Amino acid sequence: MGFLITQPGEGSQNYKTAVRAASSANVSLTGSAPILLGGVTLANNDRVLLKDQSNAAENGIYEIAISSGSYVLTRTVDANTSREIVPNMLVPVSEGTYADQL
């Protein structure tokens, strides 16, 4: 993974725990499992970054819950309020289309 250098005056960086995969298009917050995101078949409790939602208010970090052939995405506890989503927030992506990117 590369490093991001913050230039003087840009403010502090806020790092979040890594996500397994990141979106490249709008994703339904509920649906039938399995779900493929960024080339990764998601598993129960995976963290994911949704960044391309049609409704921008739905962009953020989610955890997936899979049960009885269905999934539900809910916001993670470390990124579910406006105080936790700040400018310059960085989220490492570990797998898929955006692997090894922030």
Side-chain angles (χ1 to χ4, degrees):
M1 178 178 293
F3 292 94
L4 181 70
I5 299 173
T6 302
Q7 299 299 319
E10 287 187 0
S12 64
Q13 300 294 324
N14 183 0
Y15 288 89
K16 295 293 182 185
T17 301
V19 296
R20 184 167 179 212
S23 66
S24 57
N26 190 66
V27 174
S28 178
L29 299 181
T30 61
S32 298
I35 178 174
L36 187 69
L37 186 67
V40 177
T41 300
L42 300 180
N44 200 40
N45 299 319
D46 279 346
R47 288 169 59 92
V48 297
L49 174 64
L50 301 186
K51 58 180 186 53
D52 302 290
Q53 294 299 94
S54 299
N55 177 358
E58 292 180 348
N59 287 330
I61 304 170
Y62 288 80
E63 186 173 290
I64 187 168
I66 300 173
S67 178
S68 301
S70 297
Y71 74 86
V72 175
L73 291 167
T74 55
R75 290 192 184 268
T76 59
V77 296
D78 67 330
N80 63 355
T81 69
S82 60
R83 293 185 73 197
E84 296 165 335
I85 307 295
V86 298
N88 299 319
M89 184 179 83
L90 298 175
V91 181
V93 180
S94 61
E95 295 181 39
T97 305
Y98 296 100
D100 298 329
Q101 295 184 39
L102 292 173

